[in-house]
Amino acid sequence: MARTSYRNFLKLLEQWPADPTKSKGRDLGEYLRVRVTEGFKHGDATQVDEAECSRIHASLTRIATNTYAKNDLPKLLTRLKVHGSSFDGVLMDVGASSIQFDTPLRGFMLSKDGPLDMRMDGDRDPESVRASDVIGHCDEAELYKVLKFYGEEKHARKLARALIEARYLFRQPRTTKELADLVAEIIGSDTRMDKLQRFAHPATKTFQALRILVNNELNELDYAMRLAHYYLKPGGVLAAITFHSLEDTIVKRHIAGVDIDQTPASIGLGVAKHRTGLSLHSREEMQKLTAARWSPLARHVILPSEDEISCNPRARSAKLRTACKLEPV
């Protein structure tokens, strides 16, 4: 039995590649390898608690295979009999994980070749849109909007035109390397540096734009913020870590006050009443509609220190915002 457990853990570790850019003790892949080494000091001849090994292996497998993403969060929590106003705190680490970025077959990587996929949930839905579908079927105007607004790419118009031309010249990129090389060829003279003054690949923003679109990330984040407010107790704390300005803007708007783009349905009902006669909201109704839902715990966004960035370079673009859920009016 120990031999089976040992082999199962070794196979599972293949889904957690070690990240050499992180300092010792800060990489999940390295941490898991250390724990497996400690747990199986004599390899598959080690005497272990088989039940505990099975429990830990099953838990890690669920995380590695994105099992939790296969269930809409409210359905999952309802099944566990968890209701609104139940949590003391919610931590949101937004965006793709290092595990996803470091797996070439996921199609997120610039440095290693892989298919142009970029779906965070993999083949959960075989019919879901891949990055290659976006490049192969969107027209020039649509590609421009994707690159401009999701990638904040200043060369969006030039790149959109180049992608369309590549399609008709039978040079449409099919892999991450082909796309990265094409973008570099178009805007290669535009040298870009990150916050550590290291070379940043010209295709970084293009990859970001495609990933956001494929995974509907901004709408998912907006939904997550609403769920966090629902499930937190009054006085409960939200901590949200974002990695680019689009994500940060959504979190900031939720914390700052009423989201005017998604006003409560009661406003629509008030407008409907005007069709049959004049109707105004009462002062109590207006106070309820405009009441603050969050109280920020820090006056400004929290950024990583130079020491944090040097230990964990992937934290260089991170922004942390914290807030407390207020009592309902």
Side-chain angles (χ1 to χ4, degrees):
M1 290 293 292
R3 176 176 299 178
T4 300
S5 294
Y6 182 61
R7 290 179 177 176
N8 286 341
F9 274 104
L10 292 181
K11 187 174 181 180
L12 186 62
L13 286 178
E14 295 176 3
Q15 300 182 60
W16 268 289
D19 183 359
T21 66
K22 291 186 177 180
S23 60
K24 186 175 181 180
R26 300 185 64 88
D27 176 38
L28 178 59
E30 178 194 23
Y31 173 77
L32 292 176
R33 282 163 175 76
V34 170
R35 293 303 302 271
V36 170
T37 301
E38 292 175 349
F40 293 90
K41 294 181 180 179
H42 304 292
D44 58 11
T46 304
Q47 295 298 315
V48 296
D49 184 337
E50 295 294 342
E52 181 67 6
C53 282
S54 296
R55 186 189 67 80
I56 295 173
H57 183 270
S59 178
L60 291 174
T61 299
R62 287 193 294 271
I63 297 173
T65 56
N66 214 21
T67 297
Y68 296 110
K70 297 178 182 178
N71 296 277
D72 186 64
L73 184 59
K75 295 179 181 177
L76 179 63
L77 293 178
T78 299
R79 200 158 60 239
L80 296 173
K81 298 182 180 181
V82 177
H83 307 290
S85 301
S86 297
F87 296 165
D88 294 310
V90 171
L91 171 62
M92 297 172 59
D93 186 358
V94 181
S97 70
S98 293
I99 299 171
Q100 292 166 324
F101 272 122
D102 293 338
T103 306
L105 289 177
R106 288 297 191 98
F108 293 105
M109 300 186 72
L110 282 159
S111 58
K112 294 182 181 179
D113 202 14
L116 271 177
D117 193 320
M118 299 193 189
R119 295 172 300 166
M120 289 187 186
D121 53 3
D123 286 322
R124 170 188 166 194
D125 179 7
E127 301 299 320
S128 58
V129 175
R130 298 170 171 80
S132 57
D133 298 325
V134 176
I135 293 175
H137 296 92
C138 287
D139 61 30
E140 184 176 344
E142 291 171 335
L143 284 173
Y144 165 74
K145 290 179 181 178
V146 171
L147 297 172
K148 180 68 175 178
F149 298 112
Y150 287 169
E152 300 176 296
E153 172 58 69
K154 64 182 180 180
H155 298 294
R157 197 170 298 282
K158 184 189 297 185
L159 286 172
R161 164 51 54 183
L163 288 170
I164 295 297
E165 290 178 350
R167 186 189 305 171
Y168 289 108
L169 291 173
F170 302 102
R171 292 182 56 219
Q172 178 181 326
R174 301 289 181 182
T175 68
T176 54
K177 186 177 186 304
E178 289 176 359
L179 177 59
D181 289 346
L182 176 61
V183 174
E185 181 181 335
I186 302 301
I187 60 174
S189 59
D190 182 11
T191 303
R192 299 178 176 182
M193 310 296 287
D194 63 18
K195 292 185 178 181
L196 297 179
Q197 294 304 301
R198 302 179 306 181
F199 170 73
H201 197 284
T204 300
K205 292 185 176 182
T206 298
F207 273 60
Q208 172 187 305
L210 293 171
R211 192 198 78 218
I212 290 174
L213 178 66
V214 167
N215 297 289
N216 196 25
E217 290 183 28
L218 302 186
N219 287 325
E220 291 290 342
L221 176 55
D222 178 75
Y223 181 50
M225 288 295 296
R226 298 175 191 280
L227 287 180
H229 188 273
Y230 175 76
Y231 282 107
L232 277 171
K233 299 176 181 176
V237 174
L238 166 74
I241 305 171
T242 59
F243 290 87
H244 57 75
S245 61
L246 297 176
E247 294 173 344
D248 180 57
T249 297
I250 292 174
V251 173
K252 180 170 63 176
R253 287 189 62 183
H254 274 276
I255 292 176
V258 176
D259 184 354
I260 60 174
D261 289 339
Q262 295 290 337
T263 46
S266 57
I267 290 181
L269 295 176
V271 172
K273 292 177 183 178
H274 282 282
R275 297 175 181 175
T276 56
L278 183 62
S279 176
L280 298 175
H281 289 291
S282 67
R283 176 175 298 190
E284 289 75 18
E285 288 174 324
M286 290 305 299
Q287 287 177 341
K288 186 175 182 179
L289 290 175
T290 59
R293 294 159 58 85
W294 299 98
S295 175
L297 296 179
R299 186 173 182 181
H300 301 292
V301 65
I302 301 171
L303 302 175
S305 65
E306 291 185 4
D307 289 341
E308 169 70 12
I309 294 174
S310 63
C311 291
N312 180 17
R314 287 184 173 176
R316 61 188 180 275
S317 58
K319 295 180 179 180
L320 170 65
R321 292 188 185 273
T322 57
C324 175
K325 177 180 173 178
L326 294 176
E327 292 277 358
V329 175

